[in-house]
Amino acid sequence: MHPVLSVIFFTVASGAGFGLFSLLFVADFFALGGGFSRAHLLVGGAIALALIVLGLLSSTLHLANPKNAWRAFSRFRTSWLSREGVFAVAFMPLALAYLACIAFDAPLWLRHASGFLSAALAWITVFSTGMIYACLKTIRQWNTPLVPANYLALGYASGSLLLLLGAVRAGLDATPYVALAGLIVAIAAVLKAIYYFWIRSPGLTPTVNTATGLTRAGVRLFDSGHTHGTFLTEEFGYQLARRRASVIKVLLFVVGFALPAVMLAAVLRGSGAEAAAAVAACAGLAGAVMERWLFFAEARHVVNLYHGAQRC
Amino acid sequence: MRLGLVIDLDVCVGCHACAVSCKEWNASGSIGPLADYQPYGAEPSGVWFNRIRHFEMGEYPHNKTINFPMSCMHCEDADCVTVCPTGASYKRAEDGVVLIDQDKCMGCNYCSWACPYGARELDRATGTMKKCTLCIDRIYDENLPVEERQPACVLTCPAHARMFGDFDDPDSAVSRTVRERGGYALMPELNYNPTNRYLPPRRKPEVSVAPRPRGGLKDSLRQFANRLVRR
Amino acid sequence: MNASIRTENHDAQEIRYTTCYMCACRCGVKVTLEGGKVRFLQGNRNHPTNQGVLCAKGSAGIMKQYSPARLTQPLLRKPGSERGEGIYEPISWDQALDLLTNRLQEIRATDPSKLAFFTGRDQMQALTGLWAQQFGTPNWAAHGGFCSVNMAAAGLYTVGFSFWEFGAPDWDYAKYFIMWGVAEDHSSNPIKIGLEKLKRRGGKFVSVNPVRTGYSAIADEWLPIRPGMDGLLAMSMVHVLLRHEQFDYEFLVRYTNATWLVVQTPGQRGDGLFLRDADGHPLIWDLEKESFRNGLAGDIAPALFGEYLTADGRRVRTVMSLVAERYLDPRYAPENVAREVGLPAATIERIALEMAHIAFQESIELPIAWTDVWGRKHDKVVGRPVAMYAMRGISAHSNGFHACRAVHFIQMLLGALDAPGNFRARAPYPKPIPPHQLPENSIAVINAPNTPLSRPPLGFPTRPEDLVVDEFGNPLRIDKAYSWEVPIASHGLMHMVITNAVNHDPYAIDTLILFMSNMAWNSTMNTAQVQDMLRTRDIENFGEYRIPFLVVVDAFHSEMTNFADLILPDTTYLERYDAISLLDRPISEPDAAADAIRYPLIEPDRDVRPWQEVLVELAARLKFPAFTHADGTRRFKNYPDFIVNYERSPGVGFLAGWRGKDGSRSLKGEPNPRQWEKYIENESFFAHHWPDSQKYMRYANRDYLEVAADAGFVGKVEPIIMQFWSEPLQKFRLAGMGLYDGPQPTNQVDRERLVKYFDPLPLWYEPLEQQRVDPDEYPFFALTQRPMFMYHSWDSQNAWLRQLMAQNRLYMNAGRAAEMGIRDDDWVWVESHHGGIRCQVKTMEGTQEDTVWTWNAIGKQKGAWGLKPDASEATDGFLLNHLISELLPAQPGERRLTNSDPVTGQAAWFDLRVKIRKAAPGETGSWPQFDTLKPYPGDERYARPDVLRYDARSDAKNRGNGQTS
Ligand SMILES: Nc1nc2c(c(=O)[nH]1)N[C@H]1C(S)=C(S)[C@@H](COP(=O)(O)OP(=O)(O)OC[C@H]3O[C@@H](n4cnc5c(=O)[nH]c(N)nc54)[C@H](O)[C@@H]3O)O[C@H]1N2
Ligand SMILES: Nc1nc2c(c(=O)[nH]1)N[C@H]1C(S)=C(S)[C@@H](COP(=O)(O)OP(=O)(O)OC[C@H]3O[C@@H](n4cnc5c(=O)[nH]c(N)nc54)[C@H](O)[C@@H]3O)O[C@H]1N2
Ligand code: SF4
Ligand code: SF4
Ligand code: SF4
Ligand code: SF4
Ligand code: SF4
Ligand SMILES: [Mo]
């Protein structure tokens, strides 16, 4: 699939935003490391919301006819894209309510209820984002529960690293935050590793033979019937060499998972904790961008079987 | 009703007539115009609802070339419809035709991702997704002569490799042909349950070359005898 | 239920019927117009040619109608600018016509041969030929010489009709069909319709072709022959049929010259000619009467085999004896040709026997009573349901004439001609063998000023006396057609005109008019040098161009118009009147004689005129007798008036339908002033359906021949006897041997060629160019094919069609390419003895291993065809034509000879051999490249938008085609 920048930015930013927001609520609820101050909570919440909103806005950039974007909420019952939109929009008032509870010292039950609900919606939204891809039978690399799991893990991993940065800056006890981030980053890394392992084995997927129904002999595309690119080749024709993919994967594990892990240790050691946390957060986000780029670049839509691919 | 097409791979010569006629009809049809990019420039491209690919099967000299037209299959379980967030994509209950409401589409491309057959193409000029309408604006146009209430591609196909009809009716020509010729669907494993069917290339007819009574082997002119034949 | 569906607003639409012009097939089209724009083009269901279907080109006619390459006004090369620079100034039609009239008047009054008028795939040759004849120049021909004259000549000298447009397979009854070297053909839609019919009925389809695409894709059996070997394959099949005695004895005796007696006096005059009686009738040996009798007569019992002695002691043998002796020779045994042909011996044998099986074991009998030309009544027709079709894969080789004759030999042996399930004739064919029409060859007439020729410039020579040469044997035609070099050049040699005219060989001309042919690009051999030739000046003659005045008549901005001194812009097919006449290349089908018209459906939005109007106008201005009254006033108001009122012979005119004053007569009758209206009412075509009794065996069908004679298709009611042994060829051969009582060539080269290539029976020889090229150095055969959705050069201007193919590749056999380390998308250098090109490779299975090929005419010169200079047709597409020379490689002691079939002058496009090597890294893009053509004055009318949104609906938001501003 052709990796579109706006979609990459959208999924990474909104994933991180939703992750950050949910974890912020967790930190608030359990008063982790002593608990954030009201001001810090509000700033953290605002940053999370900003990431989400920017992400959502950028996602509309790839719409060819944005004036109809508002209609995207209408197929909640069948479309994960619609669901994602609905959940994201439903999340907003709850998230604002939660922040308002913090700002105006609302009763604790109200603060916790709105916080819990918005955290839950955040989780569902990220899950839906993952499902947008996972529900497509046309793309083997996406059509797996690992995809929403990955989306959640990475969203929460980048959220947890951002949260850690906040905790360090706010001067809280970093230990629980390091533990939280460490755990989530580790889960994300393992899930991603499983995913990469999984997509390597082809499984029973469509081939040029099933795509054409010509099963008695080898089949090879001779001519696609048009000299230059079409919508189909532009949208689906992207092809990434295996070698390059492997290199990017190593890099992604180093930058996205190993580097944050090292930085987490550095945070625990104390000196230069803030810088270490900042590096961890940036590395985590950079890793997420790489992961997302690969996610698209490695996906092979079955329509490629009609443009020269032997299997997808 | 379940309307769709049958494509006969045994006789399709790959002439692209169906594709061009489709373009021509639909350019000025109910979801036209269909954009063409760089029509006179370096890399011409555009929106088409029907594309002909050409495959080769087997190895020289036992190879065969297969011309392969593809347009929307009007799937029964059309994920392109399920995934569409705006409701622009829909499948008509009465005849199974899958259409896109141009007034609702937001151009997110998502449906095209869900389509295994490459049937959907974004028109960058309108920002909307477009695809084969099964020539809905012909097949239901009661002001057209009855015999012309057919998709443009079917009418024009010089090899008569395309048939249009109701697959729900077991006695329709399409149903019968599919039964008799072993018509099949593409990528059945994806379970889209496409309506359109493809008829496979047939086996080559056997012609006997058994020795006949007519003559023995002649190695020289001398072996031929005259027969009395009057003009 | 379907209220939501928006259908057409039919009230805003008009329906018209006309004839397609996107190729020479000439299908009937139903045109829907909306608000003066073309809404839809579809096939006319009632039309005999296409029966409702339409091909890609036909449907894309809209984009041709609105092409930005359309010429907009007459243009004159700017004084002082160089030819080929492409700098033009508009001039008015009046000025243009005055200029041309003056020039032509001068030529006609002095030396009419100084006008050469050559036309491309002209669909009005009856008019252009008449015009040239009336002008008095022998220098006229259409594209036949570079296209497929081998097929026409082979057929017309053998069976009386031919492949190409003179016959068609009987798709309704054929059970076995062999297609030789066809990619698309003029019979484009009918072949597609027919193949489906044949396969649907369970018939077997065999394709003989080095490449497997298109039609060959759906063949039941593909025979990947080595190019140029078809003659050998066909002769080997003849061998198999003879060896197994699989031939139709009755057919041979009744309808062919197999029983005629040939004089056997080797080394003497008269050798190889038919034994004739005092009246000139060929003689047979009658088995019952035991005497020589007239071979044309009925009621004879001829011997098919045998050797006899004449009263004067000459040995004579039957043609069939000679045929059997020739082809039973082990030389033609499958095992001895297999390696050259590239097919297993067993396959060759099997295919021949399969045909025999179908012909003789699965014959068809139709209960149709008919009467033969000798008066005998038959109560049925018997069909040997083997049909064949052959085209340029056979004809575009310099051994194609004989190869095609060999294919006809198979048909004759099987008795499979013009009967049910066969290859059948299309009216006005069959014709006498060869047709009774000789080319004008009287020097006195040709040189006479202001005098029409007494006969058409083209015809069918039967003997050396018919050649168009002067008393020294020098050619009288600029293309040297009907000279000793190419005696039976029945369609001229268009591909030689520019070279010969520039070399003043045989003489200099003054004005060259080219109508719809891209002779500076894809329809010429040796493209780059031909462009240079057009620019060549004459040092002796005050620096004038070697071709002093060049007029190009075209509708579009082509590579050719760029060299014109005067460009006359034509209309498009939707803007003009046209007659598709039986006097021309017919659109008839085997079951119906047919012709058709076009009439204006769209008002031209440019200052253009139909060329036929211009021709009629010029004819009047130049006072051609056929176009003026005795007092010199013009006879025809305009072209439609000419079509209605011109009679070639009494009652026979351009259009055969609705003749007679009241329109009640068909084929023949007085002019009908309402004829155009009648055609328009009848969907722009006319079909005369043959009654069953006249549908078959028309070479010997009395009822048919009576109608044909009346309509002027044939001279008189007489049998058309098919010719195994070709006496005309033998006469030329005798001339070459110095044994002819008449003109003989003086040049040794000509003599040798006549002796070698004018064999009265088909022979196979290595194509001429290949005889002079080292196969080890140039290991590949190189060919072209037509893409089904592109007509030569002119469809690349079509915004829809060019999306399907905007660059051609060099296609190679995958295994062979792999051995050479060549992969898909590699750029390679391809070199012939003549030149080199660079192009990009695509490998495939479906190509014979020694063959490479590409799609024809996709490559373009930058700036042509309304395309932007960076169009990939120009940057990456290529022409194979650069590699093909119009002349054979030079040989010491020999004048330069044309790269053509030595019998017919057919251009030998497919004799090319090449070598291939990978281009160096970084060497990409096609080569050679040429200067970018400049836009013409008037081109600014056309927008070339980045996004085109054509929509004919008048109510559409997006009105306008975005093209004309
Ligand atoms: N779409 C379309 N239709 C056209 C035209 C067009 O440009 N486009 N042009 C029209 C014109 S002018 C013409 S003349 C006709 C020509 O129509 P065709 O006769 O079909 O001409 P080509 O496309 O040259 O195809 C020649 C075929 O012969 C094969 N061939 C080459 N050499 C050999 C050989 O030695 N032996 C055998 N057996 N096969 C061989 C080639 O692979 C190719 O398939 O088409 C007409 N129709
Ligand atoms: N390498 C290679 N070369 C070949 C062949 C091959 O097989 N291989 N095939 C050869 C054969 S068979 C042929 S027939 C030739 C064909 O070659 P051409 O006869 O040159 O065919 P086109 O390129 O179509 O060019 C015809 C011209 O007619 C013009 N035209 C189109 N419509 C109209 C109209 O309505 N009025 C007027 N006045 N002009 C019009 C076009 O603009 C174009 O300039 O090519 C030959 N060249
Ligand atoms: S028009 Fe018919 S023969 Fe031609 S490509 Fe389409 S389906 Fe095949
Ligand atoms: S072919 Fe594609 S666009 Fe058509 S119904 Fe099926 S999934 Fe949808
Ligand atoms: S592109 Fe249009 S039709 Fe397709 S999913 Fe998006 S809104 Fe629906
Ligand atoms: S049914 Fe109509 S819209 Fe669909 S491919 Fe055929 S012509 Fe095009
Ligand atoms: S075959 Fe195609 S281009 Fe040729 S006349 Fe017929 S419809 Fe027109
Ligand atoms: Mo041609």
Side-chain angles (χ1 to χ4, degrees), chain B residues 198-213:
Chain B
Y198 286 77
L199 305 179
R202 63 176 189 171
R203 274 182 201 295
K204 75 173 168 203
E206 292 298 326
V207 178
S208 149
V209 289
R212 282 143 289 276

Side-chain angles (χ1 to χ4, degrees), chain B residues 1 8-17 19-21 23-48 51 56 58-67 90 92 94-95 99 123 125-126 130 136-138 140-141 143-145 147-148 152 155-161 181 199 202-205 207-210 212-221 223-231, chain C residues 1-2 5-8 10 30 39-42 45 52-56 59-60 62 68 189 192-193 196 199-200 202-204 212 214-215 217-218 220 222 224 242-247 249-250 253-254 287-288 295-297 299-305 308 317 321 324 328 350 353-354 357-358 360-361 374 376 721 788-789 797 799-804 806 813 844-849 866-868 870-872 945-953 963:
Chain B
M1 261 204 308
D8 187 349
L9 299 180
D10 189 47
V11 293
C12 171
V13 292
C15 67
H16 293 250
V20 177
S21 184
K23 176 96 179 169
E24 182 205 14
W25 173 257
N26 288 293
S28 304
S30 55
I31 65 169
L34 308 182
D36 295 304
Y37 318 115
Q38 303 186 28
Y40 305 108
E43 302 193 346
S45 168
V47 180
W48 296 68
R51 292 188 184 268
E56 288 195 314
E59 274 166 32
Y60 180 85
H62 306 292
N63 54 293
K64 178 154 174 60
T65 306
I66 312 274
N67 304 302
Y90 63 105
R92 289 159 49 95
E94 57 271 49
D95 53 17
L99 294 177
D123 185 330
T126 52
K130 296 186 174 175
I136 196 104
D137 48 1
R138 293 189 64 85
Y140 289 117
D141 185 348
N143 293 316
L144 283 177
E147 67 279 7
E148 286 190 22
L155 283 177
T156 212
C157 173
H160 297 114
R181 296 271 313 274
L199 305 179
R202 63 176 189 171
R203 274 182 201 295
K204 75 173 168 203
V207 178
S208 149
V209 289
R212 282 143 289 276
R214 268 186 165 256
L217 285 185
K218 307 267 187 298
D219 284 319
S220 86
L221 173 60
Q223 292 167 285
F224 290 100
N226 272 322
R227 287 169 26 204
L228 191 74
V229 170
R230 269 188 215 92
R231 180 186 267 161
Chain C
M1 171 166 89
N2 291 300
I5 294 161
R6 196 150 47 100
T7 53
E8 301 286 284
H10 295 277
K30 179 172 175 181
R39 161 68 184 96
F40 195 49
L41 301 170
Q42 67 189 108
R45 319 189 131 245
V53 306
L54 210 65
C55 81
S59 292
I62 295 181
N189 281 330
K192 297 178 186 86
I193 297 170
E196 186 258 353
K199 292 197 81 183
R200 197 77 80 210
K204 178 164 179 178
R212 184 164 207 179
Y215 301 153
I218 66 165
D220 294 303
W222 175 50
L242 290 170
R243 222 167 107 76
H244 293 258
E245 206 174 343
Q246 295 292 315
F247 48 82
Y249 206 104
E250 287 81 1
V253 168
R254 291 188 180 131
L287 292 170
E288 285 179 322
L296 298 175
D299 201 28
I300 50 176
L304 187 57
F305 296 97
Y308 306 89
R317 296 177 78 188
S321 294
L328 275 177
R350 175 175 51 80
L353 293 179
E354 283 184 5
H357 174 90
I358 297 287
F360 302 122
Q361 309 301 314
W374 298 283
R376 188 167 288 135
I721 305 279
M788 289 193 182
F789 46 83
Q797 67 188 304
W800 291 341
L801 297 180
R802 70 183 288 255
Q803 293 181 44
L804 306 179
N813 176 285
M844 67 185 297
E845 298 299 323
T847 293
Q848 196 277 333
E849 291 157 299
L867 303 181
K868 297 181 180 175
D870 59 356
S872 55
D946 287 334
V947 178
L948 167 70
R949 308 186 66 221
Y950 181 78
D951 189 337
R953 284 172 300 180
Q963 310 218 341

Side-chain angles (χ1 to χ4, degrees), chain A residues 10 58 61 110 139 175 203 209 212-213 232 245 282-283:
Chain A
F10 153 60
S58 98
L61 283 183
L110 196 59
I139 300 166
T175 318
N209 297 91
T212 57
L232 299 174
C282 290

Side-chain angles (χ1 to χ4, degrees), chain C residues 336-390:
Chain C
N336 294 332
V337 303
R339 203 181 41 83
E340 288 155 289
V341 165
L343 299 171
T347 305
I348 301 173
E349 170 123 356
R350 175 175 51 80
I351 299 284
L353 293 179
E354 283 184 5
M355 285 191 284
H357 174 90
I358 297 287
F360 302 122
Q361 309 301 314
E362 298 195 19
S363 332
I364 295 173
E365 289 188 2
L366 298 183
I368 293 173
W370 65 287
T371 310
D372 71 29
V373 67
W374 298 283
R376 188 167 288 135
K377 297 212 181 306
H378 302 255
D379 56 2
K380 61 181 186 217
V381 285
V382 179
R384 315 266 183 222
V386 175
M388 292 189 192
Y389 196 74

Side-chain angles (χ1 to χ4, degrees), chain C residues 85-356:
Chain C
E85 260 189 297
I87 304 177
Y88 288 90
E89 284 178 345
I91 66 167
S92 72
W93 273 103
D94 283 343
Q95 287 171 306
L97 289 174
D98 288 347
L99 182 83
L100 195 54
T101 310
N102 290 340
R103 189 136 196 154
L104 295 179
Q105 228 155 21
E106 168 76 19
I107 297 173
R108 190 162 185 258
T110 51
D111 184 357
S113 303
K114 284 201 151 21
L115 169 68
F117 175 22
F118 282 80
T119 75
R121 271 148 316 85
D122 168 0
Q123 298 180 12
M124 42 184 250
Q125 289 169 36
L127 173 61
T128 55
L130 173 69
W131 194 96
Q133 184 183 347
Q134 290 282 316
F135 185 93
T137 179
N139 292 323
W140 169 83
H143 73 299
F146 63 49
C147 183
S148 273
V149 65
N150 267 343
M151 308 318 269
L156 297 179
Y157 279 79
T158 308
V159 295
F161 57 115
S162 85
F163 299 121
W164 204 359
E165 286 152 291
F166 314 97
D170 183 350
W171 304 107
D172 290 319
Y173 289 109
K175 296 183 187 170
Y176 202 94
F177 175 61
I178 301 203
M179 179 176 252
W180 305 73
V182 182
E184 173 65 341
D185 193 58
H186 285 317
S187 207
S188 168
N189 281 330
I191 287 182
K192 297 178 186 86
I193 297 170
L195 288 176
E196 186 258 353
K197 272 191 190 168
L198 174 94
K199 292 197 81 183
R200 197 77 80 210
R201 286 201 341 274
K204 178 164 179 178
F205 168 25
V206 178
S207 175
V208 185
N209 200 314
V211 184
R212 184 164 207 179
T213 54
Y215 301 153
S216 301
I218 66 165
D220 294 303
E221 189 161 353
W222 175 50
L223 304 183
I225 192 172
R226 297 177 74 234
M229 306 298 166
D230 301 79
L232 207 47
L233 174 62
M235 289 172 220
S236 187
M237 289 176 168
V238 167
H239 172 95
V240 175
L241 294 178
L242 290 170
R243 222 167 107 76
H244 293 258
E245 206 174 343
Q246 295 292 315
F247 48 82
D248 186 336
Y249 206 104
E250 287 81 1
F251 182 92
L252 296 183
V253 168
R254 291 188 180 131
Y255 307 121
T256 76
N257 74 356
T259 59
W260 293 6
L261 295 165
V262 180
V263 175
Q264 304 289 298
T265 52
Q268 294 171 35
R269 292 176 184 247
D271 178 46
L273 302 181
F274 294 127
L275 182 67
R276 291 179 185 272
D277 64 16
D279 300 324
H281 299 131
L283 297 175
I284 52 94
W285 178 258
D286 194 300
L287 292 170
E288 285 179 322
K289 302 265 158 53
E290 304 225 322
S291 64
F292 296 115
R293 295 187 65 201
N294 176 0
L296 298 175
D299 201 28
I300 50 176
L304 187 57
F305 296 97
E307 186 176 316
Y308 306 89
L309 268 185
T310 63
D312 57 9
R314 286 177 298 167
R315 214 160 58 91
V316 294
R317 296 177 78 188
T318 67
V319 165
M320 192 63 184
S321 294
L322 297 167
V323 168
E325 191 167 72
R326 164 78 64 95
Y327 299 106
L328 275 177
D329 192 285
R331 165 69 181 111
Y332 299 104
E335 56 276 19
N336 294 332
V337 303
R339 203 181 41 83
E340 288 155 289
V341 165
L343 299 171
T347 305
I348 301 173
E349 170 123 356
R350 175 175 51 80
I351 299 284
L353 293 179
E354 283 184 5
M355 285 191 284

